[in-house]
Amino acid sequence: MSNPYAHIVEALDPQKPDHKFYNLSKLQDARYARLPFSIRVLLEAAVRNCDDFLVKQSDVERILSWEETQSQSVEVPFRPARVILQDFTGVPAVVDFAAMRDAVKNLGGDPENINPVCPADLVIDHSIQVDFNRKSDSLQKNQDLEFDRNRERFEFLKWGSKAFRNMRIIPPGSGIVHQVNLEYLARVVFDQDGFYYPDSLVGTDSHTTMIDGLGVLGWGVGGIEAEAVMLGQPISMVLPEVIGYRLLGTPDKHITSTDIVLTVTKHLRQVGVVGKFVEFFGPGVAQLSIADRATIANMCPEYGATAAFFPVDYISIKYLEQTGRDPENLSYISQYLKAVGMFRDYSDVSQDPEFTQVVELDLGTVEPCCSGPKRPQDKVAMCEMKRDFEACLGAKQGFKGFQVASEQHAASVSFQYSGAEYSLSHGSVVIAAITSCTNTSNPSVMLGAGLLAKKAVEAGLTVKPYIKTSLSPGSGVVTYYLKESGVMSYLSQLGFEVVGYGCMTCIGNSGPLPESVVEAITQGDLVAAGILSGNRNFEGRVHPNTRANYLASPPLVIAYAIAGTIRIDFEKEPLGVNAEGKEIFLTDVWPTREEIQAVERKYVIPAMFKEVYEKIEKVNERWNSLKAPSDKLYTWDPKSTYIKSPPFFDGLTKELQPLKSITDGYVLLNFGDSVTTDHISPAGNIARNSPAARYLTSRGLNPRDFNSYGSRRGNDAVMARGTFANIRLFNKFLNKQAPRTLHLPSNETLDVFDAAERYQRDAVPLLILAGKEYGSGSSRDWAAKGPFLLGVKVVLAESYERIHRSNLVGMGIIPLEYLPGETAESLELTGRERYTIAIPEPLTPRMIIDVKLDTGKSFQARMRFDTDVELTYFHHGGILNYMIRKMSDNPRPPDAVYRQD
C-alpha cells in the first residue's frame, strides 16, 4: 500500500540521495510548530507508517489537531522503532512466544509466523543477588551463584536468541538495562532501510522512561502488550495531554540530582499527571546533564506520567560524543532533528510549544532530601528525617505509620556479630545499597559518593560490619571511572564493594541479612531501615525485615550507613566520632558540586565507554559457553521448575467464543489504596511457608535452591502460587498484613492460592475490590497473569496505574472503575456480597454497566476498556489469543485490528 505522504520524502544530504526522511515541514501546516516535541515524534511515526489501513490519514490529522483533541480520549496508533526487555519480563515473553508457536501450529498455521518484526533487545540484569558483600571477591562469587541458579533460564534465553529473528540478548554482567540503553543501545535517530527517523521504544520495565532524558521517546508497557508490538502490532493509545514542566534557576552547590528528582516526583504527584506526558523546558534544563535528566525521567512511573521527555539539544549531542558514539552518526542526528524541528534550544522561548498545562520549579529552591518510608513520592527533607521517622513510628499503620506503642519507641536489642556486641533499635540501618538505574547512570552522584567516602575514611570514620553494604553499578563504565579517579578503594574500605552489575537491592535481590541481625529485629519487633539509591521502596520489596526503606542519593546512602541510623539530624548531630574522639559532621565530608564536576571532566571520557561496550556481547565467557537447542519449536522439559509451557492457550479455538457474564462472583481479596504490583506478584525471596515453597519442595528442591519469584517467572505453577504472596499484603477481610484471605463460603482463613483453588473447584468467578492506584509500581505482567490463573475475572477499583490496567486487558480481565465520587465505603460494600455483572452487547469504550449484588442492591461502574482495540482483545479473551488467531489465519504477520473512526 502506498504512503499518501510520499511527496514529502527528500534526501537529508544531496550527496547521499539514498538516505531519505519524511520532511514534516513540507506538510505546510502551522499546527506542527505548536505541537509539543514529544507529540511530534508520534506524528512522524504516523506519517512514515501511514498506509490508510494500519495507520490512516485521519490518525495523522488527529495528531496534528492535538490542541483541540487532547482531552477528548482520541485514539491513535503508534509504531515504536524498537522494544527493550529485561530478563524478569523477557523470560515470560519468550515463554509466551514459544507457547504461541505451539498454539499456532495446533491451529494449522505456520509457527514461524511468531517472530519479532520490531527489533528487540533483551538485557539480562535482574537475576543477580547480593549474596556476598564487603569482600573483594564478592562480584565474582555473586556472578558465579547467578549462573548456578539461573543456568536453565539462561539456556532458554539463548535458545530464544537463536530461534527468533530480530532479538538481541545482552548477557549477564553487562549492567542495568536502562543504563545500557542510555549508554549503548540508544540511536537517538535511526538510519534504517534508507530512511532517517526518530528513535523511539516501548519496554517491559516501567523505568523504560529513563531514555526520555536523552530525547528518545519511550515508556513502559505490559509484557503482554510488548509482545504484540514485537509481532508487528501498533500500540493503540489515547492521545495524551502534555504537561509543560518549566525549570528555572540553578541548584545549590550541595544539591544532587537525586534531591531534584525526589522534589519533582512529589510535585508532579500533587499536580496529577497520571496517563499524561510531561515535557521539560525552560532555561533550567540547560543546567542539567543528560545523566541528571535521565534520573528525572527514570522516576516517571513514581509520579505517574506515561513519559517524561527532554527534547534533544546540544548537551544531548555532547553526551553522545562522551559515550563514544560514531562521529558520522552524530552529524546526521543533529542535521535530521534540526530539519524536522525536533532539535531544542532551551534558552529560545520562541521554540516553546503549546502545552495542556504549565507548571514550574525553581532549581534554587531544592533542598537535600530522602523519600519514604514506604513510597517514593513521600519526600522528606534531610533536616526533617529524624523527626519524621519518629512521627511515623507511632502513627497509625499506613504509608507514613508503623503503629508502634509509645513505650516501645526507645526499645533496643543487643546481639553478637563476628565476636563483638552491637545493638539495634527502631530506625537502625541494616541495609545500605548504592543500586539501581536511577542513580548509577549518573557520574556526578557516583563520584560524589566516592569523594564523600574518601573524606570520611581520611577523617577516621567507619561503617558497622553488620550493616549490609553494597555497590551495584549500572555498567562497567562506572567501575572504570571510580577506579581511575582513585575513589574506589575508599568505597571498599567503608564496605561498598562492587557486588554485581544489575538491578539488585532495588528489586528485592538484596540477599540474606546476618541471622543474628534478623533475630534481633524479630525479637524486638523493630522497625529496621534500609537506605538505597533506588527508585522504589514499597513495603516488602527491599527486604522482608526492613519495614522502613528510604530512597536517597548515593552520598547520603553512605552517610546514613556511617551513622548507622535514620534517627539523626545531620545539621546538629555528628556523623560519627573518630579514634581520636573528634566529632565529624556531614558538612565536614560532603563534596561540593564544583569538586565533583572537576573530577568528572577529568575521568569520565569517551575511551572508557568504547572499551566497555565494544566487548559487551562477548566478554561473558560462561554465557558464551552455554549450549542451547536450535529447534524452532521449544522442547519443554516436564521436570523443569523454571521453564514451563503456560496454560493460557489450552483449548483455544479458531472461532471466537461468546462473552460470558459474571454471575454470583465472590470477592477473593478486599484492598485499600496503592496496592502495588509487588503486593500482587512479588519479585523477592520465596518464603519457606508459602504455597510456592510447598510446590518446589514437592518437586524435590531444598529452600536454598528456591531462588526468587522474579527468577521463576517462566513457570506458571510457581507464579500462580506466588500471586498475592507478599507478607505486607493488607487485606480488609483480615484487617492485618498477611498473604492470606478469607474463603467466604467456609469462613476459613487460607493462603490466597489455596482459597482461589477452592473457588475454582466450585467453578465460582472471582473479583478483587481495591481503592486508588491499583497496580502501581513495576510493569509486571505476572501481576495480571497470576490473578487470571487464580480465576479472577474482574477487578473493581477507584483508579488504576496505566500499565497494570493494560496488562489486565491483555489477559482478558475486566477492569471496572467506580463512578466519580463513589467508593466501596460510600456504596457500603463489605466484600462479602456476591456480584453479578451482565456483559452487554455491543460493548463500547469506557462503557458504564450495572453491578448487582445478592443483597438486592445495585450500582453502576465504568468498564475501563479505553479503546476499540482493547475491546477487540477482550472479545478474543486477551491480546495473545487475538495474535494467535491472526497468525494462524495469515501467512504473514497480522494486520492491526480495525478501529472506529
Side-chain angles (χ1 to χ4, degrees), residues 451-462 490 493-494 562 575-590:
L451 290 171
L452 184 143
K454 180 176 185 291
K455 293 185 178 190
V457 169
E458 290 171 345
L461 297 178
T462 59
Y490 297 100
Q493 287 179 65
L494 291 180
I562 293 169
L575 191 58
V577 179
N578 65 16
E580 288 76 45
K582 182 183 178 184
E583 291 185 339
I584 309 296
F585 286 80
L586 184 59
T587 52
D588 299 328
V589 297
W590 191 269

Side-chain angles (χ1 to χ4, degrees), residues 305-323:
T306 299
F309 192 64
F310 288 83
V312 173
D313 69 343
Y314 74 95
I315 293 177
S316 314
I317 303 301
K318 287 286 184 187
Y319 177 82
L320 294 175
E321 289 177 4
Q322 182 191 36
T323 50

Side-chain angles (χ1 to χ4, degrees), residues 389-411:
F389 177 79
E390 290 174 348
C392 290
L393 266 184
K396 183 181 176 183
Q397 182 72 42
F399 302 125
K400 295 288 285 185
F402 297 102
Q403 210 161 328
V404 175
S406 56
E407 63 270 18
Q408 294 296 319
H409 286 198

Side-chain angles (χ1 to χ4, degrees), residues 12 61 71 84 134 167 174 213 218 234 296 406 427 444 478 490 518 528 588 650 660 727 756 763 859 869 899:
L12 183 64
E61 176 58 29
S71 60
I84 195 162
R134 289 204 171 222
M167 179 180 286
S174 304
I296 294 170
S406 56
S444 67
V478 179
Y490 297 100
V518 173
D588 299 328
D650 291 354
K660 292 182 180 178
I727 62 171
F859 61 94
V869 173
R899 292 172 295 107

Side-chain angles (χ1 to χ4, degrees), residues 7-20:
H7 63 284
I8 68 170
V9 173
E10 63 179 49
L12 183 64
D13 181 348
Q15 305 300 315
K16 296 181 178 179
D18 55 340
H19 284 64
K20 302 172 184 176

